[in-house]
């Protein structure tokens, strides 16, 4: 299993039948309310946003990371064009962050995950994935003070994920990471 999560549920969203987002196989389908008079938010070429998102998720699951990122970027451009509130698709930024994490591009992963949190501060999965980014970066450092700072950042993100308590997978991963972090901190002091 991956050391990071690729999507989360968000029970705080307003539900609507106009856009359906398919998520990872073990998570529910989300219907998001979008300010539009159309039956589904569409691009100029009349492709529904929901199809773009579904295609990106399928590509992500299939391991076609570059293509999934391209599809998510097209989704973002279309969502802006359609004036969709970014808080309604924070998961897209979270999924892009998870993809960059998988590709070991920690700077881009951090950027997307922070953007997800800027639109939805109580997004537990983004906090967990930011903790993983910090731990990955800490593992490559030789400076103990910088590494410890990143480990403490990871600890804070895990604590924030537990506070959010929005997704059982995020909570479980945050607890496991906190156990690992405590072990690392204990070993670094001895």
């Amino acid at each position: 299993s991956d050391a990071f999560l690729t999507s989360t549920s968000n029970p705080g969203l307003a539900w609507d039948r106009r856009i359906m987002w398919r998520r990872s196989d073990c998570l529910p389908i989300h219907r998001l309310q979008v300010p539009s008079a159309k039956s589904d938010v569409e691009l100029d070429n009349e492709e529904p946003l929901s199809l773009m998102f579904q295609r990106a998720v399928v590509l992500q699951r299939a391991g076609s990371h570059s293509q999934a990122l391209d599809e998510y970027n097209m989704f973002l451009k279309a969502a802006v064009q359609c004036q969709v509130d970014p808080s309604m698709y924070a998961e897209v930024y979270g999924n892009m962050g998870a993809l960059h994490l998988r590709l070991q591009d920690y700077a881009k992963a951090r950027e997307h995950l922070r953007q997800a949190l800027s639109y939805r501060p109580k997004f537990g999965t983004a906090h967990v994935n930011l903790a993983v980014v910090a731990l990955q970066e800490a593992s490559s450092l030789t400076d103990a003070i910088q590494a410890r700072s990143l480990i403490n950042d990871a600890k804070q993100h895990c604590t924030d994920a537990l506070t959010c308590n929005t997704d059982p997978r995020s909570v479980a991963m945050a607890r496991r990471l906190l156990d690992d972090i405590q072990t690392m901190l204990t070993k670094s002091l001895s």
Side-chain angles (χ1 to χ4, degrees):
S1 93
D2 293 330
F4 52 91
L5 306 174
T6 57
S7 59
T8 67
S9 60
N10 184 7
L13 291 177
W15 304 103
D16 189 287
R17 63 180 172 73
R18 291 183 279 180
I19 289 186
M20 186 170 19
W21 288 17
R22 289 222 179 260
R23 313 294 290 297
S24 71
D25 20 17
C26 59
L27 295 174
I29 296 170
H30 289 263
R31 293 173 186 97
L32 306 176
Q33 183 173 335
V34 182
S36 171
K38 299 178 183 180
S39 64
D40 195 356
V41 175
E42 297 178 356
L43 293 173
D44 290 337
N45 67 1
E46 299 184 13
E47 180 180 34
L49 278 173
S50 57
L51 290 178
M52 294 177 75
F53 183 82
Q54 291 171 9
R55 189 169 42 248
V57 171
V58 168
L59 289 165
Q60 184 174 359
R61 286 185 199 156
S64 300
H65 306 309
S66 297
Q67 291 175 306
L69 286 168
D70 289 344
E71 204 63 41
Y72 283 130
N73 279 316
M74 286 192 332
F75 176 95
L76 292 174
K77 288 176 186 171
V80 168
Q81 175 187 341
C82 296
Q83 300 177 343
V84 178
D85 181 352
S87 68
M88 297 300 219
Y89 55 86
E91 289 86 355
V92 172
Y93 290 106
N95 285 356
M96 291 175 77
L99 280 165
H100 285 294
L101 181 56
R102 180 181 289 279
L103 296 169
Q104 299 179 356
D105 186 343
Y106 303 127
K108 283 187 180 176
R110 187 181 320 97
E111 175 187 337
H112 287 291
L113 294 166
R114 284 182 178 163
Q115 198 154 18
L117 286 173
S118 75
Y119 294 128
R120 192 169 315 128
K122 301 268 184 211
F123 189 0
T125 298
H127 282 294
V128 169
N129 286 340
L130 278 168
V132 173
V133 168
L135 292 172
Q136 290 293 334
E137 290 177 326
S139 70
S140 66
L141 292 176
T142 56
D143 182 325
I145 294 172
Q146 287 180 333
R148 188 171 180 84
S149 176
L150 285 171
I151 291 169
N152 283 325
D153 287 349
K155 183 177 180 180
Q156 183 60 54
H157 280 295
C158 288
T159 302
D160 291 345
L162 292 175
T163 301
C164 294
N165 195 23
T166 55
D167 171 16
R169 287 177 49 202
S170 295
V171 169
M173 180 65 84
R175 285 189 178 129
R176 282 193 301 266
L177 287 173
L178 278 173
D179 289 343
D180 293 344
I181 289 167
Q182 190 58 47
T183 301
M184 289 190 296
L185 291 172
T186 302
K187 285 182 181 179
S188 73
L189 292 175
S190 44

